[in-house]
């Protein structure tokens, strides 16, 4: 069979009997759409959102530039223009989620105990944190269970944030113990670290099995911890 093409892409095919027939042009391959043009800050957020989806679905080890570009619905050059390398993309994602997560923690902590019960405030703050973990497991898995693929600089960032939270817990402990009447011989730094480690462990339980460990089911455990610091008579 002889084949020729017309100007519009249609094909002229000659059968064995010498009769020429016009065959329709083959469909054009669809071009990848990059979506509407976005300002740089919006494009960054779009790409980080896509990276977050990939990390949550496949894990940090599978956070490739190709997978992120596909998830975002853009060509790879668009991604490379904002984040030239995969480590830069990963670093930006981890730092964004860390910043938002730590802001949630600090927001949940009470400002003072001037007109409130310290034990009730502590319980409410922990439940607010556990609810945040349940509602956004991707973010909190990156914070509470950093994978081997996380860069060392990110682990340092987590350590610095943890120290900041411990310091805030110590301040609240001192104010809370004074308001509830003791005990007075408490190492607030030690107790602050124990409380933070306890809360982090509860958060990991919520991540590992949210059906078995929903935040409300952990309330009695949270309440029991405050009873380990009895008030003075």
């Amino acid at each position: 069979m002889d084949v020729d093409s017309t100007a519009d892409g249609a094909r002229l095919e000659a059968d064995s009997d010498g009769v020429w027939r016009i065959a329709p042009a083959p469909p054009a391959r669809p071009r990848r759409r990059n979506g509407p043009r976005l300002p740089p800050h919006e494009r960054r957020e779009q790409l980080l959102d896509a990276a977050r989806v990939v990390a949550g679905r496949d894990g940090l080890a599978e956070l490739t530039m190709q997978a992120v570009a596909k998830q975002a619905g853009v060509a790879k050059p668009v991604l490379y223009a904002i984040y030239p390398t995969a480590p830069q993309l990963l670093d930006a994602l981890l730092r964004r989620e860390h910043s938002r997560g730590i802001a949630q923690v600090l927001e949940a902590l009470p400002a003072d105990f001037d007109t409130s019960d310290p034990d009730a405030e502590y319980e409410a703050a922990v439940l607010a944190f556990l609810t945040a973990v349940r509602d956004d497991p991707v973010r909190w898995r990156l914070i509470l269970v950093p994978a081997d693929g996380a860069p060392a600089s990110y682990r340092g960032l987590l350590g610095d944030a943890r120290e900041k939270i411990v310091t805030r817990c110590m301040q609240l402990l001192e104010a809370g113990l004074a308001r509830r009447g003791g005990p007075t011989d408490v190492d607030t730094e030690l107790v602050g670290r124990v409380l933070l480690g306890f809360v982090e462990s509860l958060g990991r339980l919520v991540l590992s099995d949210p059906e078995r460990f929903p935040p409300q089911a952990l309330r009695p455990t949270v309440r029991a911890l405050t009873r380990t610091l009895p008030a003075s008579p």
Side-chain angles (χ1 to χ4, degrees):
M1 176 183 294
D2 295 329
V3 178
D4 200 356
S5 298
T6 64
D8 61 359
R11 295 183 304 171
L12 297 176
E13 299 179 350
D15 288 341
S16 58
D17 57 4
V19 178
W20 288 83
R21 296 178 175 84
I22 298 178
R29 294 181 62 184
R31 297 179 62 186
R32 180 186 291 273
R33 292 185 176 181
N34 290 328
R37 287 185 175 275
L38 297 175
H41 69 280
E42 291 185 19
R43 181 67 78 187
R44 288 189 190 94
E45 289 302 305
Q46 177 204 23
L47 296 174
L48 291 179
D49 288 342
R52 188 178 186 276
V53 171
V54 174
R57 183 187 64 217
D58 304 329
L60 288 182
E62 300 301 323
L63 188 67
T64 64
M65 300 296 270
Q66 181 176 354
V68 173
K70 181 178 180 181
Q71 178 64 41
V74 302
K76 285 196 287 186
V78 174
L79 174 57
Y80 284 119
I82 303 295
Y83 298 107
T85 67
Q88 287 175 304
L89 172 63
L90 176 60
D91 183 73
L93 171 65
L94 292 176
R95 287 179 180 275
R96 186 188 75 166
E97 296 306 311
H98 166 271
S99 176
R100 293 179 178 180
I102 298 305
Q104 286 180 300
V105 171
L106 295 176
E107 184 179 353
L109 293 175
D112 56 56
F113 302 120
D114 292 345
T115 59
S116 59
D117 175 10
D119 290 3
E121 290 278 11
Y122 169 76
E123 181 181 321
V126 174
L127 266 292
F129 164 71
L130 296 178
T131 300
V133 173
R134 180 201 63 193
D135 293 345
D136 199 339
V138 174
R139 170 177 299 158
W140 285 102
R141 189 167 285 109
L142 294 174
I143 296 173
L144 294 175
V145 194
D148 292 338
S153 60
Y154 179 63
R155 295 178 183 275
L157 188 68
L158 289 177
D160 292 343
R162 202 171 188 276
E163 291 303 309
K164 182 177 180 180
I165 294 173
V166 167
T167 298
R168 181 59 182 151
C169 286
M170 290 168 56
Q171 295 169 346
L172 292 172
L173 274 168
E174 291 172 357
L177 291 173
R179 181 168 179 80
R180 75 203 291 267
T184 58
D185 55 344
V186 172
D187 184 334
T188 54
E189 180 181 1
L190 176 60
V191 174
R193 293 186 182 280
V194 169
L195 290 177
L196 181 56
F198 170 77
V199 173
E200 289 173 335
S201 296
L202 294 183
R204 294 186 187 101
L205 286 177
V206 174
L207 286 174
S208 65
D209 196 342
E211 296 295 327
R212 182 181 177 189
F213 301 111
Q216 287 299 327
L218 298 173
R219 183 186 291 273
T221 303
V222 175
R223 191 173 296 160
L225 184 63
T226 62
R227 298 195 183 109
T228 64
L229 294 172
S232 298

PDB file of all heavy atoms in Angstrom, residues 18-47:
ATOM      1  N   GLY A  18      -4.979   0.053  -6.999  1.00  0.00           N
ATOM      2  CA  GLY A  18      -4.605   1.330  -7.564  1.00  0.00           C
ATOM      3  C   GLY A  18      -5.562   2.457  -7.273  1.00  0.00           C
ATOM      4  O   GLY A  18      -5.387   3.570  -7.771  1.00  0.00           O
ATOM      5  N   VAL A  19      -6.571   2.204  -6.420  1.00  0.00           N
ATOM      6  CA  VAL A  19      -7.547   3.239  -6.076  1.00  0.00           C
ATOM      7  C   VAL A  19      -7.045   4.007  -4.858  1.00  0.00           C
ATOM      8  O   VAL A  19      -6.707   3.413  -3.829  1.00  0.00           O
ATOM      9  CB  VAL A  19      -8.935   2.627  -5.786  1.00  0.00           C
ATOM     10  CG1 VAL A  19      -9.915   3.721  -5.384  1.00  0.00           C
ATOM     11  CG2 VAL A  19      -9.438   1.876  -7.000  1.00  0.00           C
ATOM     12  N   TRP A  20      -6.977   5.354  -4.985  1.00  0.00           N
ATOM     13  CA  TRP A  20      -6.525   6.198  -3.883  1.00  0.00           C
ATOM     14  C   TRP A  20      -7.706   6.601  -3.018  1.00  0.00           C
ATOM     15  O   TRP A  20      -8.759   6.977  -3.511  1.00  0.00           O
ATOM     16  CB  TRP A  20      -5.826   7.453  -4.409  1.00  0.00           C
ATOM     17  CG  TRP A  20      -4.474   7.169  -4.986  1.00  0.00           C
ATOM     18  CD1 TRP A  20      -4.194   6.731  -6.233  1.00  0.00           C
ATOM     19  CD2 TRP A  20      -3.238   7.300  -4.307  1.00  0.00           C
ATOM     20  NE1 TRP A  20      -2.849   6.570  -6.416  1.00  0.00           N
ATOM     21  CE2 TRP A  20      -2.227   6.915  -5.239  1.00  0.00           C
ATOM     22  CE3 TRP A  20      -2.849   7.683  -3.030  1.00  0.00           C
ATOM     23  CZ2 TRP A  20      -0.872   6.909  -4.907  1.00  0.00           C
ATOM     24  CZ3 TRP A  20      -1.500   7.685  -2.714  1.00  0.00           C
ATOM     25  CH2 TRP A  20      -0.535   7.297  -3.634  1.00  0.00           C
ATOM     26  N   ARG A  21      -7.523   6.505  -1.714  1.00  0.00           N
ATOM     27  CA  ARG A  21      -8.561   6.902  -0.768  1.00  0.00           C
ATOM     28  C   ARG A  21      -7.949   7.858   0.259  1.00  0.00           C
ATOM     29  O   ARG A  21      -6.776   7.756   0.576  1.00  0.00           O
ATOM     30  CB  ARG A  21      -9.172   5.696  -0.056  1.00  0.00           C
ATOM     31  CG  ARG A  21      -9.917   4.741  -0.995  1.00  0.00           C
ATOM     32  CD  ARG A  21     -10.454   3.554  -0.201  1.00  0.00           C
ATOM     33  NE  ARG A  21     -11.269   2.681  -1.047  1.00  0.00           N
ATOM     34  CZ  ARG A  21     -10.767   1.729  -1.831  1.00  0.00           C
ATOM     35  NH1 ARG A  21      -9.452   1.527  -1.867  1.00  0.00           N
ATOM     36  NH2 ARG A  21     -11.570   0.987  -2.567  1.00  0.00           N
ATOM     37  N   ILE A  22      -8.781   8.773   0.775  1.00  0.00           N
ATOM     38  CA  ILE A  22      -8.310   9.739   1.772  1.00  0.00           C
ATOM     39  C   ILE A  22      -8.627   9.206   3.165  1.00  0.00           C
ATOM     40  O   ILE A  22      -9.793   8.963   3.499  1.00  0.00           O
ATOM     41  CB  ILE A  22      -8.965  11.116   1.584  1.00  0.00           C
ATOM     42  CG1 ILE A  22      -8.592  11.680   0.198  1.00  0.00           C
ATOM     43  CG2 ILE A  22      -8.525  12.082   2.677  1.00  0.00           C
ATOM     44  CD1 ILE A  22      -9.235  13.006  -0.088  1.00  0.00           C
ATOM     45  N   ALA A  23      -7.599   9.014   3.944  1.00  0.00           N
ATOM     46  CA  ALA A  23      -7.773   8.586   5.339  1.00  0.00           C
ATOM     47  C   ALA A  23      -7.610   9.793   6.235  1.00  0.00           C
ATOM     48  O   ALA A  23      -6.801  10.680   5.949  1.00  0.00           O
ATOM     49  CB  ALA A  23      -6.746   7.519   5.703  1.00  0.00           C
ATOM     50  N   PRO A  24      -8.380   9.879   7.336  1.00  0.00           N
ATOM     51  CA  PRO A  24      -8.263  11.047   8.227  1.00  0.00           C
ATOM     52  C   PRO A  24      -6.878  11.113   8.857  1.00  0.00           C
ATOM     53  O   PRO A  24      -6.199  10.106   9.036  1.00  0.00           O
ATOM     54  CB  PRO A  24      -9.348  10.802   9.271  1.00  0.00           C
ATOM     55  CG  PRO A  24      -9.569   9.321   9.248  1.00  0.00           C
ATOM     56  CD  PRO A  24      -9.355   8.894   7.821  1.00  0.00           C
ATOM     57  N   ALA A  25      -6.476  12.339   9.179  1.00  0.00           N
ATOM     58  CA  ALA A  25      -5.178  12.532   9.828  1.00  0.00           C
ATOM     59  C   ALA A  25      -5.189  11.900  11.215  1.00  0.00           C
ATOM     60  O   ALA A  25      -6.215  11.899  11.898  1.00  0.00           O
ATOM     61  CB  ALA A  25      -4.886  14.024   9.942  1.00  0.00           C
ATOM     62  N   PRO A  26      -4.078  11.318  11.645  1.00  0.00           N
ATOM     63  CA  PRO A  26      -4.021  10.742  13.001  1.00  0.00           C
ATOM     64  C   PRO A  26      -4.164  11.839  14.039  1.00  0.00           C
ATOM     65  O   PRO A  26      -3.754  12.978  13.813  1.00  0.00           O
ATOM     66  CB  PRO A  26      -2.614  10.106  13.055  1.00  0.00           C
ATOM     67  CG  PRO A  26      -1.817  10.875  12.053  1.00  0.00           C
ATOM     68  CD  PRO A  26      -2.782  11.224  10.943  1.00  0.00           C
ATOM     69  N   PRO A  27      -4.777  11.511  15.158  1.00  0.00           N
ATOM     70  CA  PRO A  27      -4.959  12.539  16.196  1.00  0.00           C
ATOM     71  C   PRO A  27      -3.622  13.032  16.711  1.00  0.00           C
ATOM     72  O   PRO A  27      -2.669  12.265  16.861  1.00  0.00           O
ATOM     73  CB  PRO A  27      -5.737  11.796  17.297  1.00  0.00           C
ATOM     74  CG  PRO A  27      -5.432  10.344  17.068  1.00  0.00           C
ATOM     75  CD  PRO A  27      -5.274  10.187  15.580  1.00  0.00           C
ATOM     76  N   ALA A  28      -3.551  14.318  16.956  1.00  0.00           N
ATOM     77  CA  ALA A  28      -2.321  14.905  17.483  1.00  0.00           C
ATOM     78  C   ALA A  28      -2.126  14.498  18.929  1.00  0.00           C
ATOM     79  O   ALA A  28      -3.086  14.319  19.681  1.00  0.00           O
ATOM     80  CB  ALA A  28      -2.375  16.426  17.368  1.00  0.00           C
ATOM     81  N   ARG A  29      -0.867  14.318  19.335  1.00  0.00           N
ATOM     82  CA  ARG A  29      -0.582  13.996  20.732  1.00  0.00           C
ATOM     83  C   ARG A  29      -0.926  15.185  21.606  1.00  0.00           C
ATOM     84  O   ARG A  29      -0.571  16.328  21.300  1.00  0.00           O
ATOM     85  CB  ARG A  29       0.902  13.666  20.905  1.00  0.00           C
ATOM     86  CG  ARG A  29       1.325  12.399  20.197  1.00  0.00           C
ATOM     87  CD  ARG A  29       2.779  12.134  20.444  1.00  0.00           C
ATOM     88  NE  ARG A  29       3.032  11.942  21.861  1.00  0.00           N
ATOM     89  CZ  ARG A  29       4.247  11.775  22.367  1.00  0.00           C
ATOM     90  NH1 ARG A  29       5.311  11.801  21.578  1.00  0.00           N
ATOM     91  NH2 ARG A  29       4.405  11.620  23.666  1.00  0.00           N
ATOM     92  N   PRO A  30      -1.667  14.948  22.686  1.00  0.00           N
ATOM     93  CA  PRO A  30      -2.029  16.081  23.555  1.00  0.00           C
ATOM     94  C   PRO A  30      -0.801  16.714  24.163  1.00  0.00           C
ATOM     95  O   PRO A  30       0.133  16.033  24.579  1.00  0.00           O
ATOM     96  CB  PRO A  30      -2.916  15.433  24.631  1.00  0.00           C
ATOM     97  CG  PRO A  30      -2.491  13.993  24.647  1.00  0.00           C
ATOM     98  CD  PRO A  30      -2.122  13.672  23.223  1.00  0.00           C
ATOM     99  N   ARG A  31      -0.775  18.006  24.194  1.00  0.00           N
ATOM    100  CA  ARG A  31       0.327  18.735  24.817  1.00  0.00           C
ATOM    101  C   ARG A  31       0.065  18.896  26.304  1.00  0.00           C
ATOM    102  O   ARG A  31      -1.072  19.070  26.731  1.00  0.00           O
ATOM    103  CB  ARG A  31       0.480  20.115  24.177  1.00  0.00           C
ATOM    104  CG  ARG A  31       0.835  20.071  22.709  1.00  0.00           C
ATOM    105  CD  ARG A  31       0.934  21.467  22.140  1.00  0.00           C
ATOM    106  NE  ARG A  31       2.002  22.201  22.807  1.00  0.00           N
ATOM    107  CZ  ARG A  31       2.234  23.494  22.594  1.00  0.00           C
ATOM    108  NH1 ARG A  31       1.484  24.180  21.754  1.00  0.00           N
ATOM    109  NH2 ARG A  31       3.221  24.102  23.232  1.00  0.00           N
ATOM    110  N   ARG A  32       1.124  18.787  27.096  1.00  0.00           N
ATOM    111  CA  ARG A  32       0.975  18.978  28.530  1.00  0.00           C
ATOM    112  C   ARG A  32       0.589  20.419  28.820  1.00  0.00           C
ATOM    113  O   ARG A  32       1.162  21.360  28.291  1.00  0.00           O
ATOM    114  CB  ARG A  32       2.297  18.678  29.257  1.00  0.00           C
ATOM    115  CG  ARG A  32       2.200  18.862  30.769  1.00  0.00           C
ATOM    116  CD  ARG A  32       3.562  18.698  31.406  1.00  0.00           C
ATOM    117  NE  ARG A  32       3.997  17.328  31.323  1.00  0.00           N
ATOM    118  CZ  ARG A  32       3.690  16.403  32.217  1.00  0.00           C
ATOM    119  NH1 ARG A  32       2.925  16.709  33.248  1.00  0.00           N
ATOM    120  NH2 ARG A  32       4.133  15.183  32.091  1.00  0.00           N
ATOM    121  N   ARG A  33      -0.419  20.561  29.627  1.00  0.00           N
ATOM    122  CA  ARG A  33      -0.862  21.895  29.990  1.00  0.00           C
ATOM    123  C   ARG A  33      -0.205  22.324  31.290  1.00  0.00           C
ATOM    124  O   ARG A  33      -0.163  21.576  32.254  1.00  0.00           O
ATOM    125  CB  ARG A  33      -2.383  21.928  30.152  1.00  0.00           C
ATOM    126  CG  ARG A  33      -3.135  21.720  28.838  1.00  0.00           C
ATOM    127  CD  ARG A  33      -4.625  21.896  29.060  1.00  0.00           C
ATOM    128  NE  ARG A  33      -5.373  21.794  27.815  1.00  0.00           N
ATOM    129  CZ  ARG A  33      -6.697  21.938  27.736  1.00  0.00           C
ATOM    130  NH1 ARG A  33      -7.399  22.175  28.826  1.00  0.00           N
ATOM    131  NH2 ARG A  33      -7.302  21.828  26.572  1.00  0.00           N
ATOM    132  N   ASN A  34       0.288  23.518  31.303  1.00  0.00           N
ATOM    133  CA  ASN A  34       0.908  24.047  32.513  1.00  0.00           C
ATOM    134  C   ASN A  34      -0.060  24.896  33.318  1.00  0.00           C
ATOM    135  O   ASN A  34       0.306  25.444  34.344  1.00  0.00           O
ATOM    136  CB  ASN A  34       2.135  24.895  32.159  1.00  0.00           C
ATOM    137  CG  ASN A  34       3.267  24.022  31.643  1.00  0.00           C
ATOM    138  OD1 ASN A  34       3.396  22.887  32.077  1.00  0.00           O
ATOM    139  ND2 ASN A  34       4.037  24.532  30.706  1.00  0.00           N
ATOM    140  N   GLY A  35      -1.285  24.981  32.874  1.00  0.00           N
ATOM    141  CA  GLY A  35      -2.262  25.785  33.586  1.00  0.00           C
ATOM    142  C   GLY A  35      -2.002  27.260  33.374  1.00  0.00           C
ATOM    143  O   GLY A  35      -1.106  27.660  32.632  1.00  0.00           O
ATOM    144  N   PRO A  36      -2.793  28.077  34.005  1.00  0.00           N
ATOM    145  CA  PRO A  36      -2.624  29.517  33.838  1.00  0.00           C
ATOM    146  C   PRO A  36      -1.309  29.993  34.449  1.00  0.00           C
ATOM    147  O   PRO A  36      -0.760  29.365  35.349  1.00  0.00           O
ATOM    148  CB  PRO A  36      -3.823  30.099  34.609  1.00  0.00           C
ATOM    149  CG  PRO A  36      -4.162  29.048  35.615  1.00  0.00           C
ATOM    150  CD  PRO A  36      -3.877  27.736  34.944  1.00  0.00           C
ATOM    151  N   ARG A  37      -0.815  31.092  33.932  1.00  0.00           N
ATOM    152  CA  ARG A  37       0.386  31.681  34.514  1.00  0.00           C
ATOM    153  C   ARG A  37       0.081  32.149  35.930  1.00  0.00           C
ATOM    154  O   ARG A  37      -0.944  32.770  36.173  1.00  0.00           O
ATOM    155  CB  ARG A  37       0.873  32.851  33.664  1.00  0.00           C
ATOM    156  CG  ARG A  37       1.509  32.439  32.352  1.00  0.00           C
ATOM    157  CD  ARG A  37       2.062  33.645  31.627  1.00  0.00           C
ATOM    158  NE  ARG A  37       2.772  33.276  30.427  1.00  0.00           N
ATOM    159  CZ  ARG A  37       4.049  32.914  30.386  1.00  0.00           C
ATOM    160  NH1 ARG A  37       4.750  32.899  31.504  1.00  0.00           N
ATOM    161  NH2 ARG A  37       4.638  32.585  29.261  1.00  0.00           N
ATOM    162  N   LEU A  38       0.991  31.851  36.825  1.00  0.00           N
ATOM    163  CA  LEU A  38       0.798  32.230  38.226  1.00  0.00           C
ATOM    164  C   LEU A  38       1.955  33.100  38.683  1.00  0.00           C
ATOM    165  O   LEU A  38       3.095  32.921  38.233  1.00  0.00           O
ATOM    166  CB  LEU A  38       0.721  30.980  39.117  1.00  0.00           C
ATOM    167  CG  LEU A  38      -0.436  30.009  38.873  1.00  0.00           C
ATOM    168  CD1 LEU A  38      -0.265  28.794  39.774  1.00  0.00           C
ATOM    169  CD2 LEU A  38      -1.774  30.677  39.130  1.00  0.00           C
ATOM    170  N   PRO A  39       1.697  34.023  39.612  1.00  0.00           N
ATOM    171  CA  PRO A  39       2.811  34.761  40.222  1.00  0.00           C
ATOM    172  C   PRO A  39       3.744  33.772  40.926  1.00  0.00           C
ATOM    173  O   PRO A  39       3.311  32.701  41.357  1.00  0.00           O
ATOM    174  CB  PRO A  39       2.119  35.687  41.224  1.00  0.00           C
ATOM    175  CG  PRO A  39       0.704  35.762  40.768  1.00  0.00           C
ATOM    176  CD  PRO A  39       0.393  34.454  40.114  1.00  0.00           C
ATOM    177  N   PRO A  40       5.017  34.103  41.058  1.00  0.00           N
ATOM    178  CA  PRO A  40       5.985  33.156  41.650  1.00  0.00           C
ATOM    179  C   PRO A  40       5.557  32.590  43.002  1.00  0.00           C
ATOM    180  O   PRO A  40       5.719  31.395  43.260  1.00  0.00           O
ATOM    181  CB  PRO A  40       7.265  33.989  41.762  1.00  0.00           C
ATOM    182  CG  PRO A  40       7.149  34.986  40.658  1.00  0.00           C
ATOM    183  CD  PRO A  40       5.685  35.326  40.580  1.00  0.00           C
ATOM    184  N   HIS A  41       4.997  33.427  43.885  1.00  0.00           N
ATOM    185  CA  HIS A  41       4.644  32.925  45.218  1.00  0.00           C
ATOM    186  C   HIS A  41       3.491  31.927  45.137  1.00  0.00           C
ATOM    187  O   HIS A  41       3.450  30.953  45.895  1.00  0.00           O
ATOM    188  CB  HIS A  41       4.299  34.083  46.159  1.00  0.00           C
ATOM    189  CG  HIS A  41       3.025  34.793  45.842  1.00  0.00           C
ATOM    190  ND1 HIS A  41       2.937  35.753  44.849  1.00  0.00           N
ATOM    191  CD2 HIS A  41       1.765  34.676  46.371  1.00  0.00           C
ATOM    192  CE1 HIS A  41       1.686  36.208  44.782  1.00  0.00           C
ATOM    193  NE2 HIS A  41       0.964  35.570  45.694  1.00  0.00           N
ATOM    194  N   GLU A  42       2.559  32.150  44.208  1.00  0.00           N
ATOM    195  CA  GLU A  42       1.459  31.202  44.050  1.00  0.00           C
ATOM    196  C   GLU A  42       1.953  29.907  43.417  1.00  0.00           C
ATOM    197  O   GLU A  42       1.483  28.819  43.767  1.00  0.00           O
ATOM    198  CB  GLU A  42       0.345  31.816  43.210  1.00  0.00           C
ATOM    199  CG  GLU A  42      -0.400  32.951  43.897  1.00  0.00           C
ATOM    200  CD  GLU A  42      -1.574  33.445  43.079  1.00  0.00           C
ATOM    201  OE1 GLU A  42      -2.040  32.703  42.178  1.00  0.00           O
ATOM    202  OE2 GLU A  42      -2.033  34.573  43.328  1.00  0.00           O
ATOM    203  N   ARG A  43       2.877  30.026  42.466  1.00  0.00           N
ATOM    204  CA  ARG A  43       3.438  28.825  41.844  1.00  0.00           C
ATOM    205  C   ARG A  43       4.199  28.002  42.878  1.00  0.00           C
ATOM    206  O   ARG A  43       4.109  26.762  42.897  1.00  0.00           O
ATOM    207  CB  ARG A  43       4.355  29.215  40.694  1.00  0.00           C
ATOM    208  CG  ARG A  43       4.965  28.029  39.963  1.00  0.00           C
ATOM    209  CD  ARG A  43       3.903  27.239  39.217  1.00  0.00           C
ATOM    210  NE  ARG A  43       3.523  27.885  37.971  1.00  0.00           N
ATOM    211  CZ  ARG A  43       2.530  27.479  37.188  1.00  0.00           C
ATOM    212  NH1 ARG A  43       1.796  26.436  37.557  1.00  0.00           N
ATOM    213  NH2 ARG A  43       2.237  28.115  36.061  1.00  0.00           N
ATOM    214  N   ARG A  44       4.939  28.669  43.765  1.00  0.00           N
ATOM    215  CA  ARG A  44       5.657  27.944  44.817  1.00  0.00           C
ATOM    216  C   ARG A  44       4.680  27.143  45.680  1.00  0.00           C
ATOM    217  O   ARG A  44       4.921  25.976  45.986  1.00  0.00           O
ATOM    218  CB  ARG A  44       6.449  28.913  45.692  1.00  0.00           C
ATOM    219  CG  ARG A  44       7.672  29.515  45.021  1.00  0.00           C
ATOM    220  CD  ARG A  44       8.518  30.283  46.022  1.00  0.00           C
ATOM    221  NE  ARG A  44       9.564  31.046  45.352  1.00  0.00           N
ATOM    222  CZ  ARG A  44       9.439  32.313  45.004  1.00  0.00           C
ATOM    223  NH1 ARG A  44       8.334  32.989  45.310  1.00  0.00           N
ATOM    224  NH2 ARG A  44      10.421  32.930  44.381  1.00  0.00           N
ATOM    225  N   GLU A  45       3.604  27.792  46.086  1.00  0.00           N
ATOM    226  CA  GLU A  45       2.632  27.104  46.929  1.00  0.00           C
ATOM    227  C   GLU A  45       1.990  25.939  46.179  1.00  0.00           C
ATOM    228  O   GLU A  45       1.761  24.866  46.751  1.00  0.00           O
ATOM    229  CB  GLU A  45       1.547  28.087  47.394  1.00  0.00           C
ATOM    230  CG  GLU A  45       2.040  29.096  48.415  1.00  0.00           C
ATOM    231  CD  GLU A  45       2.600  28.431  49.659  1.00  0.00           C
ATOM    232  OE1 GLU A  45       1.893  27.621  50.272  1.00  0.00           O
ATOM    233  OE2 GLU A  45       3.754  28.712  50.017  1.00  0.00           O
ATOM    234  N   GLN A  46       1.702  26.121  44.892  1.00  0.00           N
ATOM    235  CA  GLN A  46       1.125  25.048  44.098  1.00  0.00           C
ATOM    236  C   GLN A  46       2.070  23.851  44.047  1.00  0.00           C
ATOM    237  O   GLN A  46       1.649  22.696  44.224  1.00  0.00           O
ATOM    238  CB  GLN A  46       0.843  25.545  42.679  1.00  0.00           C
ATOM    239  CG  GLN A  46       0.288  24.449  41.761  1.00  0.00           C
ATOM    240  CD  GLN A  46       0.543  24.728  40.294  1.00  0.00           C
ATOM    241  OE1 GLN A  46       1.460  25.470  39.944  1.00  0.00           O
ATOM    242  NE2 GLN A  46      -0.271  24.134  39.431  1.00  0.00           N
ATOM    243  N   LEU A  47       3.336  24.126  43.818  1.00  0.00           N
ATOM    244  CA  LEU A  47       4.313  23.043  43.714  1.00  0.00           C
ATOM    245  C   LEU A  47       4.558  22.372  45.060  1.00  0.00           C
ATOM    246  O   LEU A  47       4.706  21.142  45.133  1.00  0.00           O
ATOM    247  CB  LEU A  47       5.620  23.584  43.138  1.00  0.00           C
ATOM    248  CG  LEU A  47       5.530  24.126  41.703  1.00  0.00           C
ATOM    249  CD1 LEU A  47       6.851  24.774  41.296  1.00  0.00           C
ATOM    250  CD2 LEU A  47       5.139  23.037  40.723  1.00  0.00           C
TER     251      LEU A  47
END
